[in-house]
């Protein structure tokens, strides 16, 4: 069983930066996908960025150019560098792990970390 623990969330002003981390425990397949999702109050959970087993990264349109996903397989850690943060980035951010970078294939989820961006 893979366990995921996010950290690095917090409160920042618009234009600021944060770096989220997701530490995994248990056996991690480097060929599997790891991703970041977020859920704002009253909204559905949405994909933010993913990093598949081939090293291919994908981003949601509204974070492209501002967020960078990276992965350290040796340390079993996923990162999300968030720059130029906007109030609309406020949400709980979740880490996910699964065989394929598709929502129905994620088998493990973290508990989330809160990101709050003030204007």
């Amino acid at each position: 069983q893979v366990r995921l623990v996010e950290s690095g969330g917090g409160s920042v002003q618009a234009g600021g930066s944060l770096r989220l981390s997701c530490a995994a425990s248990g056996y991690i397949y480097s060929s599997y996908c790891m991703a970041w999702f977020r859920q704002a109050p009253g909204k559905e959970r949405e994909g933010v960025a993913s990093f598949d087993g081939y090293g291919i990264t994908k981003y949601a349109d509204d974070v492209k150019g501002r967020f960078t996903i990276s992965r350290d397989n040796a340390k079993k850690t996923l990162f999300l560098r968030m720059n130029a943060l906007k109030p609309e980035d406020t949400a709980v951010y979740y880490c996910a792990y699964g065989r394929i970078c598709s929502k129905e294939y994620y088998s493990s989820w973290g508990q989330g970390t809160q990101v709050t961006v003030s204007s």
Side-chain angles (χ1 to χ4, degrees):
Q1 182 72 16
V2 172
R3 181 169 178 257
L4 304 173
V5 179
E6 302 95 337
S7 61
S11 297
V12 296
Q13 290 192 327
S17 298
L18 284 173
R19 187 193 192 210
L20 305 184
S21 298
C22 170
S25 59
Y27 189 84
I28 298 293
Y29 291 95
S30 61
S31 60
Y32 275 34
C33 176
M34 295 190 76
W36 289 98
F37 285 75
R38 66 186 180 186
Q39 188 167 19
K43 295 188 177 181
E44 291 190 357
R45 191 173 297 190
E46 62 178 3
V48 175
S50 63
F51 194 120
D52 74 9
Y54 298 98
I56 296 173
T57 57
K58 291 186 178 180
Y59 296 90
D61 287 342
D62 57 351
V63 306
K64 283 180 183 177
R66 300 189 297 122
F67 291 10
T68 302
I69 189 170
S70 59
R71 179 172 174 174
D72 186 333
N73 287 327
K75 295 183 178 179
K76 298 193 290 187
T77 304
L78 183 72
F79 302 97
L80 185 69
R81 177 68 181 180
M82 305 185 294
N83 294 328
L85 282 161
K86 304 175 181 180
E88 50 264 43
D89 295 318
T90 295
V92 177
Y93 284 71
Y94 298 90
C95 175
Y97 167 82
R99 188 166 61 88
I100 297 172
C101 291
S102 182
K103 200 169 185 179
E104 61 268 28
Y105 286 95
Y106 292 111
S107 53
S108 297
W109 293 83
Q111 83 291 344
T113 186
Q114 176 71 47
V115 171
T116 303
V117 185
S118 58
S119 58

